[in-house]
Amino acid sequence: MPGTGLPRLPATVIHLPKFRRGGGLLTELRKQQALVERGRQACALAMVDLDHFKKVNDTYGHVAGDVVLVDVVQCVKAHLRPYDRIYRYGGEEFIVCMPDTTVEQAGEIMDRLRLSIARLDFEFADIQVTASFGVAALAGSMLVEDAIGRADRAMYEAKAAGRNRVVLQR
């Protein structure tokens, strides 16, 4: 869009960097869970939700929201190892799967990521985007859906505690 610093993209198109969509989420997490069950490794899940994202879309438009999503996903990927995975779970919600990582280690990684997201600079406006994180173990003894639910509840605890923070579900 001329004069806004935004790319010329239709509002319905989002060009996120390569990452896995939710369709393969449960299949991939069940594979990770099988490794956990066999005692091969720990695995942590993080639910990531951008704080007040609707306000970005409402104030600056959906193209601006798409730019924010692309930049945040790139930031997340920059903090992950090659074998960690990010999945889009909803509009501005993502799940990060971190094999061979404890909940405490994942919490430290997510806290560094939280700080990096808050420092992102957007050319189209002087805004600060923050995120809330919930971290839980992908345990062999529970359903994958339950592990996702635990991470989701921890993320909502982070939001209830003031947003822009990481909550661990132990």
Side-chain angles (χ1 to χ4, degrees), residues 19-51:
F19 74 104
R20 301 186 188 272
R21 294 206 173 265
L25 170 69
L26 292 177
T27 301
E28 292 299 317
L29 292 183
R30 286 185 181 117
K31 289 177 188 176
Q32 287 301 320
Q33 184 186 39
L35 293 172
V36 171
E37 221 168 0
R38 290 194 302 261
R40 298 256 169 116
Q41 65 184 20
C43 186
L45 298 180
M47 183 70 73
V48 182
D49 186 73
L50 301 185
D51 298 326

Side-chain angles (χ1 to χ4, degrees), residues 59-82:
T59 304
Y60 302 102
H62 289 275
V63 173
D66 289 353
V67 169
V68 169
L69 289 174
V70 168
D71 287 358
V72 167
V73 168
Q74 289 174 336
C75 182
V76 171
K77 289 180 68 92
H79 283 79
L80 299 180
R81 301 163 298 187

Side-chain angles (χ1 to χ4, degrees), residues 7-167:
R8 294 174 188 249
L9 297 175
T12 57
V13 175
I14 180 166
H15 296 283
L16 290 173
K18 283 188 176 181
F19 74 104
R20 301 186 188 272
R21 294 206 173 265
L25 170 69
L26 292 177
T27 301
E28 292 299 317
L29 292 183
R30 286 185 181 117
K31 289 177 188 176
Q32 287 301 320
Q33 184 186 39
L35 293 172
V36 171
E37 221 168 0
R38 290 194 302 261
R40 298 256 169 116
Q41 65 184 20
C43 186
L45 298 180
M47 183 70 73
V48 182
D49 186 73
L50 301 185
D51 298 326
H52 304 294
F53 184 72
K54 183 179 180 327
K55 185 176 179 182
V56 172
N57 279 338
D58 291 349
T59 304
Y60 302 102
H62 289 275
V63 173
D66 289 353
V67 169
V68 169
L69 289 174
V70 168
D71 287 358
V72 167
V73 168
Q74 289 174 336
C75 182
V76 171
K77 289 180 68 92
H79 283 79
L80 299 180
R81 301 163 298 187
Y83 51 88
D84 294 333
R85 295 288 178 252
I86 179 172
Y87 302 88
R88 190 169 188 189
Y89 194 65
E92 72 279 0
E93 279 188 318
F94 300 91
I95 292 179
V96 178
C97 177
M98 294 165 280
D100 200 25
T101 307
T102 66
V103 169
E104 290 74 19
Q105 291 167 329
E108 292 171 10
I109 294 165
M110 293 300 105
D111 199 51
R112 287 192 299 272
L113 176 58
R114 178 186 67 79
L115 294 171
S116 291
I117 289 171
R119 286 192 299 263
L120 286 174
D121 189 29
F122 300 98
E123 292 180 14
F124 63 87
D126 184 24
I127 61 169
Q128 181 185 34
V129 173
T130 62
S132 297
F133 299 80
V135 180
L138 178 61
S141 60
M142 71 173 64
L143 294 172
V144 167
E145 294 86 348
D146 291 340
I148 292 170
R150 288 169 49 91
D152 195 46
R153 282 190 298 281
M155 184 268 301
Y156 277 106
E157 287 179 37
K159 288 196 173 290
R163 299 184 185 331
N164 192 27
R165 63 192 67 227
V166 178
V167 171

